[in-house]
Short mmCIF file of all heavy atoms in Angstrom, two decimals:
data_model
loop_
_atom_site.label_atom_id
_atom_site.label_comp_id
_atom_site.label_asym_id
_atom_site.label_seq_id
_atom_site.Cartn_x
_atom_site.Cartn_y
_atom_site.Cartn_z
N LYS A 125 7.01 -16.40 -24.17
CA LYS A 125 6.01 -17.14 -23.39
C LYS A 125 4.95 -16.16 -22.89
O LYS A 125 5.22 -14.98 -22.71
CB LYS A 125 6.66 -17.81 -22.18
CG LYS A 125 7.34 -19.10 -22.54
CD LYS A 125 7.70 -20.04 -21.41
CE LYS A 125 8.11 -19.64 -20.09
NZ LYS A 125 8.70 -20.63 -19.24
N ALA A 126 3.75 -16.67 -22.67
CA ALA A 126 2.66 -15.82 -22.16
C ALA A 126 2.86 -15.60 -20.67
O ALA A 126 3.18 -16.51 -19.91
CB ALA A 126 1.32 -16.48 -22.42
N VAL A 127 2.65 -14.36 -20.26
CA VAL A 127 2.72 -14.00 -18.85
C VAL A 127 1.37 -14.22 -18.22
O VAL A 127 0.33 -13.87 -18.80
CB VAL A 127 3.17 -12.52 -18.70
CG1 VAL A 127 3.07 -12.07 -17.25
CG2 VAL A 127 4.59 -12.33 -19.21
N SER A 128 1.34 -14.78 -17.02
CA SER A 128 0.08 -14.99 -16.31
C SER A 128 -0.36 -13.67 -15.66
O SER A 128 0.26 -13.18 -14.72
CB SER A 128 0.26 -16.05 -15.23
OG SER A 128 -0.83 -16.02 -14.33
N VAL A 129 -1.44 -13.09 -16.22
CA VAL A 129 -1.96 -11.83 -15.70
C VAL A 129 -2.43 -12.02 -14.25
O VAL A 129 -2.22 -11.15 -13.40
CB VAL A 129 -3.10 -11.28 -16.59
CG1 VAL A 129 -3.76 -10.05 -15.97
CG2 VAL A 129 -2.55 -10.93 -17.97
N ASP A 130 -3.05 -13.17 -13.97
CA ASP A 130 -3.54 -13.44 -12.61
C ASP A 130 -2.39 -13.45 -11.60
O ASP A 130 -2.50 -12.94 -10.49
CB ASP A 130 -4.28 -14.77 -12.54
CG ASP A 130 -5.68 -14.68 -13.15
OD1 ASP A 130 -6.18 -13.56 -13.30
OD2 ASP A 130 -6.24 -15.74 -13.46
N LYS A 131 -1.27 -14.05 -12.02
CA LYS A 131 -0.10 -14.11 -11.13
C LYS A 131 0.45 -12.72 -10.87
O LYS A 131 0.80 -12.37 -9.75
CB LYS A 131 0.97 -15.00 -11.78
CG LYS A 131 1.98 -15.56 -10.81
CD LYS A 131 2.82 -16.62 -11.47
CE LYS A 131 3.93 -17.09 -10.57
NZ LYS A 131 4.84 -18.03 -11.25
N VAL A 132 0.51 -11.90 -11.93
CA VAL A 132 1.00 -10.53 -11.78
C VAL A 132 0.02 -9.71 -10.93
O VAL A 132 0.44 -8.90 -10.10
CB VAL A 132 1.23 -9.86 -13.15
CG1 VAL A 132 1.68 -8.41 -12.99
CG2 VAL A 132 2.25 -10.62 -13.98
N LEU A 133 -1.27 -9.95 -11.11
CA LEU A 133 -2.31 -9.25 -10.32
C LEU A 133 -2.11 -9.55 -8.84
O LEU A 133 -2.12 -8.64 -8.00
CB LEU A 133 -3.69 -9.69 -10.78
CG LEU A 133 -4.90 -9.18 -9.98
CD1 LEU A 133 -5.03 -7.66 -10.13
CD2 LEU A 133 -6.17 -9.85 -10.42
N ASN A 134 -1.91 -10.82 -8.51
CA ASN A 134 -1.71 -11.21 -7.10
C ASN A 134 -0.43 -10.62 -6.54
O ASN A 134 -0.40 -10.14 -5.39
CB ASN A 134 -1.70 -12.74 -6.96
CG ASN A 134 -3.08 -13.33 -7.18
OD1 ASN A 134 -4.08 -12.68 -6.95
ND2 ASN A 134 -3.12 -14.57 -7.64
N ARG A 135 0.62 -10.60 -7.36
CA ARG A 135 1.89 -9.98 -6.90
C ARG A 135 1.71 -8.49 -6.69
O ARG A 135 2.25 -7.93 -5.74
CB ARG A 135 2.97 -10.20 -7.97
CG ARG A 135 3.60 -11.53 -7.88
CD ARG A 135 4.81 -11.58 -8.79
NE ARG A 135 5.37 -12.92 -8.69
CZ ARG A 135 6.60 -13.23 -8.97
NH1 ARG A 135 7.43 -12.32 -9.37
NH2 ARG A 135 7.03 -14.46 -8.86
N THR A 136 0.97 -7.86 -7.59
CA THR A 136 0.73 -6.41 -7.48
C THR A 136 0.02 -6.09 -6.17
O THR A 136 0.42 -5.19 -5.45
CB THR A 136 -0.10 -5.90 -8.67
OG1 THR A 136 0.59 -6.20 -9.88
CG2 THR A 136 -0.33 -4.40 -8.58
N LYS A 137 -1.02 -6.86 -5.86
CA LYS A 137 -1.77 -6.63 -4.63
C LYS A 137 -0.90 -6.87 -3.41
O LYS A 137 -1.00 -6.16 -2.40
CB LYS A 137 -3.03 -7.51 -4.59
CG LYS A 137 -4.09 -7.04 -5.56
CD LYS A 137 -5.44 -7.62 -5.29
CE LYS A 137 -5.55 -9.04 -5.75
NZ LYS A 137 -6.92 -9.55 -5.70
N GLU A 138 -0.01 -7.85 -3.51
CA GLU A 138 0.92 -8.14 -2.41
C GLU A 138 1.85 -6.96 -2.18
O GLU A 138 2.07 -6.52 -1.04
CB GLU A 138 1.72 -9.41 -2.76
CG GLU A 138 2.39 -10.08 -1.60
CD GLU A 138 1.44 -10.61 -0.55
OE1 GLU A 138 0.39 -11.17 -0.88
OE2 GLU A 138 1.78 -10.45 0.63
N VAL A 139 2.38 -6.42 -3.28
CA VAL A 139 3.31 -5.27 -3.19
C VAL A 139 2.58 -4.07 -2.58
O VAL A 139 3.08 -3.42 -1.66
CB VAL A 139 3.87 -4.90 -4.60
CG1 VAL A 139 4.58 -3.55 -4.57
CG2 VAL A 139 4.82 -5.98 -5.09
N ILE A 140 1.38 -3.76 -3.10
CA ILE A 140 0.63 -2.59 -2.63
C ILE A 140 0.21 -2.77 -1.18
O ILE A 140 0.29 -1.84 -0.39
CB ILE A 140 -0.59 -2.31 -3.51
CG1 ILE A 140 -0.17 -1.96 -4.92
CG2 ILE A 140 -1.42 -1.16 -2.95
CD1 ILE A 140 -1.33 -1.80 -5.89
N SER A 141 -0.24 -3.97 -0.82
CA SER A 141 -0.71 -4.16 0.56
C SER A 141 0.41 -3.94 1.57
O SER A 141 0.16 -3.49 2.69
CB SER A 141 -1.32 -5.55 0.75
OG SER A 141 -0.34 -6.55 0.74
N ASN A 142 1.66 -4.23 1.18
CA ASN A 142 2.79 -3.97 2.06
C ASN A 142 3.13 -2.48 2.16
O ASN A 142 3.70 -2.04 3.15
CB ASN A 142 4.02 -4.76 1.59
CG ASN A 142 3.85 -6.24 1.79
OD1 ASN A 142 3.14 -6.68 2.68
ND2 ASN A 142 4.48 -7.03 0.94
N ARG A 143 2.79 -1.72 1.13
CA ARG A 143 3.12 -0.30 1.11
C ARG A 143 1.95 0.60 1.47
O ARG A 143 2.15 1.78 1.77
CB ARG A 143 3.59 0.09 -0.29
CG ARG A 143 4.89 -0.58 -0.68
CD ARG A 143 5.30 -0.17 -2.05
NE ARG A 143 6.45 -0.95 -2.47
CZ ARG A 143 6.88 -1.03 -3.72
NH1 ARG A 143 6.25 -0.37 -4.66
NH2 ARG A 143 7.93 -1.75 -4.02
N LEU A 144 0.76 0.07 1.41
CA LEU A 144 -0.44 0.87 1.65
C LEU A 144 -0.44 1.41 3.07
O LEU A 144 -0.28 0.65 4.02
CB LEU A 144 -1.67 -0.01 1.40
CG LEU A 144 -3.00 0.66 1.13
CD1 LEU A 144 -2.93 1.52 -0.13
CD2 LEU A 144 -4.10 -0.37 1.01
N PRO A 145 -0.60 2.73 3.21
CA PRO A 145 -0.65 3.28 4.56
C PRO A 145 -1.92 2.78 5.28
O PRO A 145 -2.81 2.22 4.65
CB PRO A 145 -0.68 4.80 4.35
CG PRO A 145 -1.01 5.01 2.93
CD PRO A 145 -0.74 3.74 2.20
N ARG A 146 -1.97 3.01 6.55
CA ARG A 146 -3.07 2.48 7.36
C ARG A 146 -4.46 2.93 6.91
O ARG A 146 -5.44 2.25 7.07
CB ARG A 146 -2.83 2.84 8.83
CG ARG A 146 -3.76 2.11 9.72
CD ARG A 146 -3.42 2.34 11.18
NE ARG A 146 -4.03 1.26 11.94
CZ ARG A 146 -3.38 0.49 12.77
NH1 ARG A 146 -2.12 0.64 12.96
NH2 ARG A 146 -4.02 -0.46 13.43
N GLY A 147 -4.58 4.13 6.39
CA GLY A 147 -5.89 4.64 5.99
C GLY A 147 -6.60 5.31 7.16
O GLY A 147 -6.05 5.48 8.25
N ILE A 148 -7.85 5.67 6.93
CA ILE A 148 -8.65 6.36 7.94
C ILE A 148 -9.52 5.32 8.64
O ILE A 148 -10.34 4.66 7.99
CB ILE A 148 -9.52 7.45 7.30
CG1 ILE A 148 -8.64 8.47 6.58
CG2 ILE A 148 -10.39 8.13 8.35
CD1 ILE A 148 -9.37 9.32 5.57
N LYS A 149 -9.35 5.20 9.94
CA LYS A 149 -10.15 4.24 10.69
C LYS A 149 -11.60 4.72 10.73
O LYS A 149 -11.88 5.79 11.24
CB LYS A 149 -9.61 4.08 12.11
CG LYS A 149 -10.36 3.06 12.93
CD LYS A 149 -9.64 2.66 14.21
CE LYS A 149 -9.43 3.80 15.15
NZ LYS A 149 -8.91 3.35 16.46
N VAL A 150 -12.49 3.91 10.18
CA VAL A 150 -13.89 4.28 10.14
C VAL A 150 -14.67 3.46 11.17
O VAL A 150 -15.47 4.00 11.94
CB VAL A 150 -14.48 4.08 8.72
CG1 VAL A 150 -15.96 4.45 8.68
CG2 VAL A 150 -13.72 4.90 7.69
N VAL A 151 -14.45 2.16 11.16
CA VAL A 151 -15.15 1.28 12.11
C VAL A 151 -14.14 0.32 12.75
O VAL A 151 -13.34 -0.29 12.05
CB VAL A 151 -16.24 0.44 11.38
CG1 VAL A 151 -16.83 -0.60 12.30
CG2 VAL A 151 -17.33 1.34 10.80
N THR A 152 -14.19 0.21 14.06
CA THR A 152 -13.46 -0.84 14.79
C THR A 152 -14.31 -1.27 15.97
O THR A 152 -14.52 -0.48 16.90
CB THR A 152 -12.08 -0.38 15.29
OG1 THR A 152 -11.31 0.09 14.19
CG2 THR A 152 -11.33 -1.52 15.95
N VAL A 153 -14.85 -2.47 15.88
CA VAL A 153 -15.64 -3.02 16.97
C VAL A 153 -15.14 -4.43 17.25
O VAL A 153 -14.42 -5.02 16.44
CB VAL A 153 -17.15 -3.03 16.64
CG1 VAL A 153 -17.72 -1.63 16.59
CG2 VAL A 153 -17.43 -3.75 15.32
N TYR A 154 -15.49 -4.96 18.40
CA TYR A 154 -15.06 -6.31 18.75
C TYR A 154 -16.14 -7.02 19.54
O TYR A 154 -17.07 -6.39 20.05
CB TYR A 154 -13.76 -6.26 19.56
CG TYR A 154 -13.97 -5.86 21.01
CD1 TYR A 154 -14.00 -6.81 22.02
CD2 TYR A 154 -14.15 -4.52 21.36
CE1 TYR A 154 -14.20 -6.45 23.34
CE2 TYR A 154 -14.35 -4.14 22.67
CZ TYR A 154 -14.38 -5.11 23.66
OH TYR A 154 -14.60 -4.77 24.96
#
Side-chain angles (χ1 to χ4, degrees):
K125 279 196 326 194
V127 172
S128 166
V129 173
D130 285 342
K131 201 169 174 186
V132 177
L133 174 66
N134 290 333
R135 278 189 182 203
T136 301
K137 287 196 284 190
E138 198 63 40
V139 168
I140 296 174
S141 72
N142 291 331
R143 295 179 187 165
L144 201 61
R146 191 173 200 127
I148 301 162
K149 182 167 62 172
V150 180
V151 172
T152 303
V153 290
Y154 77 100

